[in-house]
Amino acid sequence: SDACRRIDGVLWRVAVLSLLNDTAWLQSTSAPVAATRIRDRTTNGSVPFTMCTPRDCNPRQEALKVATRDPHVRQPLDVTLQELDDWRNLRLDFVIPGMAKAGTTWLARELSLHKSIYISGFRFDDQGEEFPLDSEMLAYWPSRQHVKRWNDRHKSNWTAVGAKQPGYLQKPWAMQVLRYMEAKLVVLVRSPVDLCYSLYLDAFRR
């Protein structure tokens, strides 16, 4: 993304789809079979890719040129584009990725008592919880829409914005992204015996 910005470009995520233009075939096929085959034909064999284009360029035309170079892509085709951003532009100062039942909820509760700290994944609001990475799982560049939505929801006088998500510790991709973002990590550990006993009690209380 840095190289793309240096040329004042825009980064795009491109998904390749097949077009349905065989009207005669569609009309001659029974509805249930047609529905199944439409799904087969609209999902192309190409892997989504990322590209950088100048701001004054038509990204759709460029994406189509790139997609047609793949011999495995079925013709005719179409593309969908999603503008991308940089993870470093997402407002996230720290993450609590520690193991479940290791005290992450307690730590989040204590930190959230400070009026300048907001922790996602701990408080529940009417719009529903949203974790900073989950909707863009395995994406090394998040969508601009995701970054804008997150940042808009966390505009306030808070000095620090954090997230409590124990699952991130078991996901190498998430830890790579958090390191790239230079977000601070607060990891809690607990005796394996005490942790297992806590999990056992939690399971049987339900």
mmCIF file of all heavy atoms in Angstrom, residues 17-22 25-26 36-44 74 76:
data_model
loop_
_atom_site.group_PDB
_atom_site.id
_atom_site.type_symbol
_atom_site.label_atom_id
_atom_site.label_comp_id
_atom_site.label_asym_id
_atom_site.label_seq_id
_atom_site.Cartn_x
_atom_site.Cartn_y
_atom_site.Cartn_z
ATOM 1 N N LEU A 17 -16.135 -12.700 -11.786
ATOM 2 C CA LEU A 17 -17.376 -13.465 -11.915
ATOM 3 C C LEU A 17 -17.628 -13.786 -13.378
ATOM 4 O O LEU A 17 -17.206 -13.047 -14.269
ATOM 5 C CB LEU A 17 -18.562 -12.664 -11.373
ATOM 6 C CG LEU A 17 -18.453 -12.161 -9.930
ATOM 7 C CD1 LEU A 17 -19.627 -11.242 -9.620
ATOM 8 C CD2 LEU A 17 -18.434 -13.327 -8.966
ATOM 9 N N SER A 18 -18.340 -14.877 -13.625
ATOM 10 C CA SER A 18 -18.786 -15.212 -14.971
ATOM 11 C C SER A 18 -20.115 -14.539 -15.253
ATOM 12 O O SER A 18 -20.933 -14.350 -14.353
ATOM 13 C CB SER A 18 -18.947 -16.722 -15.131
ATOM 14 O OG SER A 18 -17.710 -17.364 -15.104
ATOM 15 N N LEU A 19 -20.330 -14.183 -16.502
ATOM 16 C CA LEU A 19 -21.590 -13.575 -16.911
ATOM 17 C C LEU A 19 -22.557 -14.626 -17.425
ATOM 18 O O LEU A 19 -22.148 -15.619 -18.023
ATOM 19 C CB LEU A 19 -21.346 -12.550 -18.019
ATOM 20 C CG LEU A 19 -20.810 -11.184 -17.586
ATOM 21 C CD1 LEU A 19 -20.546 -10.338 -18.820
ATOM 22 C CD2 LEU A 19 -21.789 -10.467 -16.679
ATOM 23 N N LEU A 20 -23.841 -14.376 -17.227
ATOM 24 C CA LEU A 20 -24.891 -15.213 -17.810
ATOM 25 C C LEU A 20 -25.484 -14.464 -18.997
ATOM 26 O O LEU A 20 -26.183 -13.488 -18.828
ATOM 27 C CB LEU A 20 -25.986 -15.491 -16.778
ATOM 28 C CG LEU A 20 -25.762 -16.676 -15.832
ATOM 29 C CD1 LEU A 20 -26.877 -16.717 -14.815
ATOM 30 C CD2 LEU A 20 -25.715 -17.965 -16.601
ATOM 31 N N ASN A 21 -25.171 -14.904 -20.175
ATOM 32 C CA ASN A 21 -25.749 -14.238 -21.336
ATOM 33 C C ASN A 21 -26.391 -15.221 -22.315
ATOM 34 O O ASN A 21 -26.758 -14.880 -23.418
ATOM 35 C CB ASN A 21 -24.682 -13.411 -22.067
ATOM 36 C CG ASN A 21 -23.579 -14.286 -22.634
ATOM 37 O OD1 ASN A 21 -23.488 -15.465 -22.313
ATOM 38 N ND2 ASN A 21 -22.736 -13.687 -23.458
ATOM 39 N N ASP A 22 -26.518 -16.484 -21.870
ATOM 40 C CA ASP A 22 -27.106 -17.513 -22.721
ATOM 41 C C ASP A 22 -28.609 -17.583 -22.442
ATOM 42 O O ASP A 22 -29.082 -18.424 -21.701
ATOM 43 C CB ASP A 22 -26.431 -18.861 -22.445
ATOM 44 C CG ASP A 22 -26.797 -19.893 -23.505
ATOM 45 O OD1 ASP A 22 -27.744 -19.626 -24.273
ATOM 46 O OD2 ASP A 22 -26.147 -20.950 -23.544
ATOM 47 N N TRP A 25 -30.333 -20.903 -23.366
ATOM 48 C CA TRP A 25 -30.048 -21.986 -22.417
ATOM 49 C C TRP A 25 -30.872 -21.815 -21.149
ATOM 50 O O TRP A 25 -31.439 -22.744 -20.622
ATOM 51 C CB TRP A 25 -28.554 -21.974 -22.073
ATOM 52 C CG TRP A 25 -28.237 -22.820 -20.880
ATOM 53 C CD1 TRP A 25 -28.048 -24.165 -20.848
ATOM 54 C CD2 TRP A 25 -28.109 -22.382 -19.527
ATOM 55 N NE1 TRP A 25 -27.795 -24.592 -19.565
ATOM 56 C CE2 TRP A 25 -27.825 -23.505 -18.732
ATOM 57 C CE3 TRP A 25 -28.195 -21.131 -18.907
ATOM 58 C CZ2 TRP A 25 -27.635 -23.426 -17.373
ATOM 59 C CZ3 TRP A 25 -28.000 -21.047 -17.557
ATOM 60 C CH2 TRP A 25 -27.733 -22.192 -16.796
ATOM 61 N N LEU A 26 -30.963 -20.575 -20.675
ATOM 62 C CA LEU A 26 -31.674 -20.311 -19.428
ATOM 63 C C LEU A 26 -33.158 -20.617 -19.571
ATOM 64 O O LEU A 26 -33.769 -21.224 -18.691
ATOM 65 C CB LEU A 26 -31.483 -18.839 -19.024
ATOM 66 C CG LEU A 26 -32.062 -18.422 -17.670
ATOM 67 C CD1 LEU A 26 -31.409 -19.222 -16.552
ATOM 68 C CD2 LEU A 26 -31.855 -16.932 -17.435
ATOM 69 N N THR A 36 -29.402 -23.916 -9.719
ATOM 70 C CA THR A 36 -28.136 -24.555 -9.364
ATOM 71 C C THR A 36 -27.051 -24.197 -10.360
ATOM 72 O O THR A 36 -25.937 -23.834 -9.994
ATOM 73 C CB THR A 36 -28.307 -26.087 -9.311
ATOM 74 O OG1 THR A 36 -29.322 -26.404 -8.370
ATOM 75 C CG2 THR A 36 -26.991 -26.749 -8.907
ATOM 76 N N ARG A 37 -27.384 -24.244 -11.625
ATOM 77 C CA ARG A 37 -26.375 -23.990 -12.651
ATOM 78 C C ARG A 37 -26.015 -22.521 -12.729
ATOM 79 O O ARG A 37 -24.898 -22.173 -13.104
ATOM 80 C CB ARG A 37 -26.861 -24.519 -14.006
ATOM 81 C CG ARG A 37 -26.984 -26.034 -14.009
ATOM 82 C CD ARG A 37 -27.278 -26.566 -15.388
ATOM 83 N NE ARG A 37 -26.210 -26.262 -16.329
ATOM 84 C CZ ARG A 37 -26.260 -26.570 -17.621
ATOM 85 N NH1 ARG A 37 -27.331 -27.179 -18.098
ATOM 86 N NH2 ARG A 37 -25.266 -26.276 -18.412
ATOM 87 N N ILE A 38 -26.950 -21.633 -12.386
ATOM 88 C CA ILE A 38 -26.621 -20.209 -12.348
ATOM 89 C C ILE A 38 -25.537 -19.962 -11.315
ATOM 90 O O ILE A 38 -24.582 -19.235 -11.555
ATOM 91 C CB ILE A 38 -27.879 -19.371 -12.021
ATOM 92 C CG1 ILE A 38 -28.798 -19.314 -13.240
ATOM 93 C CG2 ILE A 38 -27.499 -17.947 -11.613
ATOM 94 C CD1 ILE A 38 -30.140 -18.687 -12.943
ATOM 95 N N ARG A 39 -25.665 -20.608 -10.128
ATOM 96 C CA ARG A 39 -24.640 -20.426 -9.105
ATOM 97 C C ARG A 39 -23.297 -20.951 -9.601
ATOM 98 O O ARG A 39 -22.258 -20.348 -9.364
ATOM 99 C CB ARG A 39 -25.057 -21.161 -7.827
ATOM 100 C CG ARG A 39 -26.177 -20.470 -7.064
ATOM 101 C CD ARG A 39 -26.298 -21.044 -5.656
ATOM 102 N NE ARG A 39 -26.704 -22.445 -5.672
ATOM 103 C CZ ARG A 39 -27.966 -22.833 -5.618
ATOM 104 N NH1 ARG A 39 -28.937 -21.942 -5.589
ATOM 105 N NH2 ARG A 39 -28.271 -24.114 -5.621
ATOM 106 N N ASP A 40 -23.330 -22.086 -10.309
ATOM 107 C CA ASP A 40 -22.079 -22.644 -10.825
ATOM 108 C C ASP A 40 -21.437 -21.718 -11.841
ATOM 109 O O ASP A 40 -20.229 -21.544 -11.859
ATOM 110 C CB ASP A 40 -22.331 -24.010 -11.472
ATOM 111 C CG ASP A 40 -22.736 -25.053 -10.433
ATOM 112 O OD1 ASP A 40 -22.474 -24.816 -9.246
ATOM 113 O OD2 ASP A 40 -23.330 -26.069 -10.830
ATOM 114 N N ARG A 41 -22.241 -21.103 -12.664
ATOM 115 C CA ARG A 41 -21.701 -20.308 -13.755
ATOM 116 C C ARG A 41 -21.321 -18.904 -13.324
ATOM 117 O O ARG A 41 -20.500 -18.264 -13.956
ATOM 118 C CB ARG A 41 -22.716 -20.240 -14.902
ATOM 119 C CG ARG A 41 -22.996 -21.589 -15.534
ATOM 120 C CD ARG A 41 -23.939 -21.482 -16.688
ATOM 121 N NE ARG A 41 -23.371 -20.736 -17.785
ATOM 122 C CZ ARG A 41 -23.984 -20.523 -18.943
ATOM 123 N NH1 ARG A 41 -25.182 -21.006 -19.135
ATOM 124 N NH2 ARG A 41 -23.407 -19.837 -19.889
ATOM 125 N N THR A 42 -21.941 -18.387 -12.249
ATOM 126 C CA THR A 42 -21.601 -17.038 -11.819
ATOM 127 C C THR A 42 -20.373 -16.994 -10.924
ATOM 128 O O THR A 42 -19.828 -15.933 -10.680
ATOM 129 C CB THR A 42 -22.783 -16.399 -11.058
ATOM 130 O OG1 THR A 42 -23.158 -17.265 -9.998
ATOM 131 C CG2 THR A 42 -23.948 -16.155 -11.988
ATOM 132 N N THR A 43 -19.905 -18.145 -10.421
ATOM 133 C CA THR A 43 -18.691 -18.180 -9.624
ATOM 134 C C THR A 43 -17.545 -18.598 -10.525
ATOM 135 O O THR A 43 -17.482 -19.735 -10.965
ATOM 136 C CB THR A 43 -18.823 -19.178 -8.459
ATOM 137 O OG1 THR A 43 -19.969 -18.818 -7.687
ATOM 138 C CG2 THR A 43 -17.584 -19.137 -7.592
ATOM 139 N N ASN A 44 -16.623 -17.683 -10.781
ATOM 140 C CA ASN A 44 -15.553 -17.970 -11.719
ATOM 141 C C ASN A 44 -14.426 -18.713 -11.035
ATOM 142 O O ASN A 44 -14.346 -18.781 -9.812
ATOM 143 C CB ASN A 44 -15.032 -16.666 -12.334
ATOM 144 C CG ASN A 44 -14.651 -16.858 -13.785
ATOM 145 O OD1 ASN A 44 -13.942 -17.792 -14.129
ATOM 146 N ND2 ASN A 44 -15.141 -15.990 -14.642
ATOM 147 N N ARG A 74 -13.278 -18.303 -17.024
ATOM 148 C CA ARG A 74 -14.256 -18.583 -18.068
ATOM 149 C C ARG A 74 -14.792 -17.286 -18.650
ATOM 150 O O ARG A 74 -14.977 -16.294 -17.947
ATOM 151 C CB ARG A 74 -15.417 -19.423 -17.492
ATOM 152 C CG ARG A 74 -14.972 -20.774 -16.955
ATOM 153 C CD ARG A 74 -16.169 -21.637 -16.584
ATOM 154 N NE ARG A 74 -16.937 -21.056 -15.491
ATOM 155 C CZ ARG A 74 -16.660 -21.269 -14.209
ATOM 156 N NH1 ARG A 74 -15.617 -22.012 -13.870
ATOM 157 N NH2 ARG A 74 -17.406 -20.739 -13.262
ATOM 158 N N PRO A 76 -17.838 -15.252 -21.050
ATOM 159 C CA PRO A 76 -17.475 -13.877 -20.702
ATOM 160 C C PRO A 76 -17.433 -13.691 -19.192
ATOM 161 O O PRO A 76 -17.928 -14.524 -18.453
ATOM 162 C CB PRO A 76 -18.614 -13.067 -21.325
ATOM 163 C CG PRO A 76 -19.784 -13.980 -21.282
ATOM 164 C CD PRO A 76 -19.232 -15.360 -21.531
#
